[in-house]
Amino acid sequence: MGKYILSLDQGTTSSRAILFDHEQKITAVEQKEFSQIYPREGWVEHDPMEIFSTQYSVMTDIIAKTNIKESDIAAIGITNQRETTILWDKNTGKPIFNAIVWQCRRTSEIVYSLLKEGFGEHIKKTTGLIPDAYFSGTKINWILDNVQGAREKAQNGEILFGTVDTWLIWKLSGGKAHVTDYTNASRTMLFDIHKLDWDDTLLEALDIPRAMLPQVKPSGAMLAYANLNGVEIPIAGDAGDQQAALFGQCCFDKGDTKCTYGTGCFLLMNTGTSSVVSGNGLLTTIAAGFNDEVQYALEGSVFTGGAVIQWLRDELRIITDSADSEYFAGKVKDTGGVYLVPAFTGLGAPYWDMYARGCIIGITRGTKRAHIIRAAQESIAYQVMDLLNAMESDLGVKIKELKVDGGASRDKFLMQFQSDMCHAAIVRPVIRETTALGAACLAGITVGFWRNLNEVKNRWRQDTVFTPKIDNEKREKLIIGWHKAVERSRSWA
């Protein structure tokens, strides 16, 4: 048995490799950013070859820089940006189009057509999702319609579809394995999460040949082998980033809840072996697991979370580093009545308004840079609060504890404001790379590197707990202002 588990964490803006030892401690991290392509307003693409090259590069770099042998790696776990859609030629291995990213809104009209044709209820009942351009199904349809000859080749089995995990596994296995896991399949808007199979009704509605779809397996399973310098290393874990984070936070039991703060923010609650249908715009999805008796989760998505801070840095240029936002937010006692709604690509749950657009409102002559920065910070917490309220309403319970992870969870101002707005304890772990850790744990348990879930759970460590400090009257006033601002942003495009 090797000494390490290698986790490949393929995200929206960068590819990372993280090496975990038997104590679940991070031994090494390598990261490379890659290009974001914006062909038109609301369209987002990536180059699939650049996704793979950056991911492969950080994987080989981490081995070279730590001076470990390939045989020291017991297994590889993969986690990935979900919904992002890649189609490639089975024979040449070359993508037939850029990857259409989960944030991309180009297929909104296709979604509208599905709703007009009466598929809305079937989609929700079968896939657990709310029809939206966010998911992979309509992206596949768009590529097949817009790349000459693609549909005919797909029908002949010459074009393959995959979310990013499938693409990476196919490349790492030398084209031997065309697979995905239940969590990623559940984000395509094509997968029956109850029967655990692709849904023929939706495949027919979107004119997608079944032959192009990957085989679906449990998240912890022997998926393929990656050949690294002649050493065959098992790829034994695979989960979409948010389900991997749920697993990495040891949310193994019904009611356990976590929020990941990345480019977007994603709130997930484990609902056990029963799927819960939301009446408040949340999604029913599959949580990571090891066998055909899957666990389910309720999920709420904030499309623009940490990305609003990147926007302040890269487009407005009012900060030079993302970490500066915490400093400036603390320089003013409040936002001076300013609210920023970062609906750059529409609003996710509980609104599901693909035509909402961003706005900054409440500006006066006295508004300073720090007020806008603080409003951006607070917008992240307000959006997560909306998700938590929706989840509580669906379940009829008050969530008293929320585990947090992801880049922005390091921000003390944001975490304290999150606790104030949600009126709940915010629990931050020692290891905040929980997405990568989740993929590592799935792979590690599969190959016997760790014995079972209990061993993994016993190694999880709490770092900081944030508890509410705001009075109820002030809290209610802030929330009313936020909801007024959200209404101004809706149905704009």
Side-chain angles (χ1 to χ4, degrees):
M1 178 63 66
K3 302 173 186 175
Y4 305 100
I5 299 290
L6 178 60
S7 188
L8 304 183
D9 183 357
Q10 205 299 303
T12 307
T13 57
S14 69
S15 297
R16 298 193 302 161
I18 301 182
L19 206 59
F20 291 92
D21 67 14
H22 199 268
E23 300 303 310
Q24 292 179 18
K25 290 177 181 171
I26 294 173
T27 303
V29 180
E30 289 293 325
Q31 177 170 340
K32 280 191 179 174
E33 292 192 358
F34 56 87
S35 309
Q36 306 295 306
I37 303 165
Y38 305 105
R40 294 189 204 170
E41 184 189 347
W43 290 29
V44 191
E45 296 175 3
H46 293 155
D47 176 352
M49 297 305 288
E50 191 182 6
I51 287 176
F52 178 70
S53 66
T54 53
Q55 191 65 74
Y56 192 83
S57 173
V58 292
M59 178 178 68
T60 53
D61 284 352
I62 211 167
I63 293 169
K65 289 180 181 179
T66 52
N67 289 318
I68 65 168
K69 298 172 186 173
E70 284 79 1
S71 57
D72 288 332
I73 300 171
I76 294 171
I78 291 177
T79 183
N80 56 289
Q81 51 166 317
R82 304 171 303 171
E83 298 94 18
T84 295
T85 299
I86 303 171
L87 269 61
W88 67 95
D89 188 301
K90 183 180 180 181
N91 301 314
T92 67
K94 291 181 179 176
I96 65 168
F97 195 78
N98 274 340
I100 299 183
V101 180
W102 59 273
Q103 300 156 310
C104 188
R105 310 308 297 167
R106 78 184 66 192
T107 61
S108 297
E109 288 302 316
I110 302 172
V111 174
Y112 181 67
S113 297
L114 287 172
L115 291 170
K116 221 162 73 169
E117 290 163 23
F119 287 103
E121 195 52 42
H122 179 79
I123 289 169
K124 190 170 182 181
K125 185 179 172 186
T126 306
T127 70
L129 307 176
I130 290 167
D132 194 83
Y134 179 30
F135 306 110
S136 312
T138 57
K139 301 181 198 299
I140 301 170
N141 174 278
W142 189 95
I143 295 173
L144 292 177
D145 278 348
N146 286 274
V147 175
Q148 191 172 0
R151 193 172 292 285
E152 186 182 347
K153 283 180 117 180
Q155 285 164 347
N156 294 334
E158 296 172 53
I159 300 293
L160 300 180
F161 153 72
T163 40
V164 173
D165 62 312
T166 303
W167 168 243
L168 293 178
I169 294 169
W170 194 84
K171 293 286 283 180
L172 289 170
S173 69
K176 290 177 184 173
H178 183 220
V179 297
T180 191
D181 86 302
Y182 290 138
T183 69
N184 278 295
S186 74
R187 311 299 297 186
T188 59
M189 212 171 81
L190 300 171
F191 190 70
D192 189 323
I193 62 171
H194 311 291
K195 294 179 181 175
L196 303 181
D197 192 16
W198 301 110
D199 181 69
D200 288 321
T201 301
L202 293 171
L203 294 180
E204 187 179 340
L206 287 164
D207 199 9
I208 295 171
R210 189 181 262 262
M212 69 188 296
L213 303 175
Q215 181 185 359
V216 189
K217 293 191 173 188
S219 309
M222 297 297 280
L223 300 158
Y225 287 86
N227 189 307
L228 296 182
N229 295 323
V231 178
E232 295 278 313
I233 302 172
I235 302 171
D238 175 22
D241 52 11
Q242 302 316 316
Q243 286 96 331
L246 189 72
F247 199 83
Q249 286 276 34
C250 295
C251 294
F252 304 145
D253 300 321
K254 186 176 179 178
D256 290 348
T257 310
K258 74 89 199 175
C259 185
T260 298
Y261 297 78
T263 305
C265 295
F266 299 88
L267 186 75
L268 272 77
M269 174 191 275
N270 186 328
T271 63
T273 54
S274 303
S275 58
V276 175
V277 178
S278 174
N280 293 283
L282 301 178
L283 308 176
T284 307
T285 196
I286 294 177
F290 290 94
N291 49 48
D292 289 340
E293 190 184 272
V294 299
Q295 287 190 316
Y296 293 91
L298 264 183
E299 175 174 334
S301 309
V302 170
F303 293 157
T304 304
V308 71
I309 306 302
Q310 292 171 337
W311 176 71
L312 295 180
R313 182 193 68 192
D314 299 338
E315 271 70 47
L316 291 195
R317 299 190 179 185
I318 60 174
I319 55 173
T320 54
D321 188 276
S322 294
D324 294 343
S325 59
E326 181 179 3
Y327 167 79
F328 283 107
K331 295 295 282 183
V332 286
K333 63 181 175 62
D334 54 36
T335 66
V338 174
Y339 287 89
L340 192 160
V341 183
F344 302 149
T345 54
L347 288 169
Y351 305 103
W352 289 106
D353 185 347
M354 63 181 97
Y355 299 111
R357 289 297 177 265
C359 72
I360 304 175
I361 200 161
I363 295 173
T364 67
R365 181 64 183 82
T367 298
K368 300 175 184 175
R369 171 171 68 156
H371 291 126
I372 292 172
I373 294 167
R374 181 167 176 144
Q377 286 267 70
E378 291 186 358
S379 76
I380 300 170
Y382 284 129
Q383 291 177 95
V384 171
M385 173 201 70
D386 281 341
L387 297 181
L388 200 69
N389 290 346
M391 206 167 269
E392 290 174 339
S393 179
D394 279 331
L395 298 166
V397 297
K398 168 67 183 161
I399 296 167
K400 294 177 181 176
E401 179 181 286
L402 177 64
K403 290 182 173 179
V404 297
D405 54 76
S409 69
R410 72 175 188 280
D411 189 316
K412 291 176 185 175
F413 168 81
L414 176 58
M415 292 300 100
Q416 183 57 56
F417 192 73
Q418 189 71 81
S419 177
D420 290 340
M421 291 303 102
C422 291
H423 204 66
I426 303 298
V427 181
R428 190 169 65 187
V430 170
I431 293 180
R432 280 169 244 168
E433 302 290 358
T434 50
T435 301
L437 178 60
C441 289
L442 285 163
I445 293 172
T446 301
V447 299
F449 188 81
W450 293 297
R451 290 189 305 276
N452 50 39
L453 294 178
N454 283 337
E455 184 181 356
V456 166
K457 196 167 189 175
N458 288 338
R459 296 183 190 279
W460 186 91
R461 293 288 179 268
Q462 176 181 297
D463 175 34
T464 311
V465 179
F466 299 87
T467 54
K469 293 180 178 176
I470 198 171
D471 67 72
N472 280 335
E473 188 180 344
K474 186 176 179 183
R475 176 176 175 265
E476 287 304 316
K477 188 178 177 184
L478 288 170
I479 292 169
I480 288 167
W482 163 253
H483 287 142
K484 277 173 67 180
V486 168
E487 286 308 307
R488 300 292 198 279
S489 78
R490 299 194 64 184
S491 305
W492 185 265

